Amino acid sequence: MSGLRLAHGTWVLVGDGEKALFFRNEGDATYPHLVVEDVFAQENPPNREQATDSPGRMNRGRPSNNKSAIEPTDWHRLAKDRFASEIADALYRAAHENRFERLVVVAPPQTLGELRKAFHKEVSERIVAEVDKTLTSHPVYDIEKVLKIGR
């Protein structure tokens, strides 16, 4: 991506599986100035702290001593996917209220994929760019810089 033109009023979502920052560009395409619109965060401890038991085992339908392991549930991953759905719902409400016309989505690849699946058509049609980076813990200045130079 070579230099993203971030027009005045464009919304920028910077998210991952645990935190989402919603910005509005109060600057212009040459000098973006991101202002926080909203912040979502969720507590999502590692899977080992959420799971209670080791995975179970089951018979394959015939009486025997051979049992197969049941795939363990990844509670941490499920929480991240659910969070992507919550972000998509919030953006749908904002789009439905015409609070933004253009949206830039910045997220790591896995989260970006979950967001794409969860976005309503009304939100997807307003996306002008996607950046596959993890920037939720970066200061606003760094986010503006990444969006300005498009890297």
Side-chain angles (χ1 to χ4, degrees):
M1 176 169 87
S2 63
L4 172 65
R5 303 291 292 172
L6 198 62
H8 180 81
T10 300
W11 272 31
V12 177
L13 163 64
V14 177
D16 58 25
E18 297 172 10
K19 186 176 183 181
L21 307 166
F22 298 86
F23 296 101
R24 181 183 67 257
N25 182 21
E26 285 297 311
D28 58 24
T30 307
Y31 300 104
H33 175 67
L34 299 179
V35 175
V36 176
E37 280 286 313
D38 207 348
V39 176
F40 286 18
Q42 80 165 350
E43 185 76 25
N44 188 5
N47 197 55
R48 68 181 174 278
E49 293 177 21
Q50 296 184 53
T52 57
D53 295 323
S54 57
R57 299 180 72 72
M58 63 176 237
N59 282 333
R60 286 260 189 223
R62 293 180 282 201
S64 75
N65 290 334
N66 296 335
K67 293 185 178 182
S68 299
I70 298 172
E71 188 68 30
T73 301
D74 187 344
W75 299 106
H76 186 73
R77 178 80 252 152
L78 286 174
K80 285 185 172 192
D81 295 348
R82 195 172 319 120
F83 190 61
S85 180
E86 290 172 20
I87 293 167
D89 288 345
L91 282 169
Y92 171 69
R93 287 189 302 275
H96 194 68
E97 296 167 359
N98 288 317
R99 293 179 54 203
F100 69 93
E101 293 178 21
R102 292 167 307 283
L103 175 67
V104 174
V105 180
V106 181
Q110 179 93 27
T111 303
L112 203 50
E114 289 303 318
L115 287 169
R116 282 185 196 125
K117 287 191 275 186
F119 282 148
H120 188 275
K121 181 181 175 192
E122 201 166 340
V123 174
S124 295
E125 291 173 345
R126 298 171 192 225
I127 296 174
V128 295
E130 293 178 342
V131 179
D132 63 346
K133 288 188 178 283
T134 305
L135 297 176
T136 49
S137 62
H138 288 69
V140 176
Y141 173 79
D142 286 349
I143 296 168
E144 291 170 346
K145 190 169 140 185
V146 166
L147 294 175
K148 185 175 178 180
I149 59 177
R151 295 182 189 196

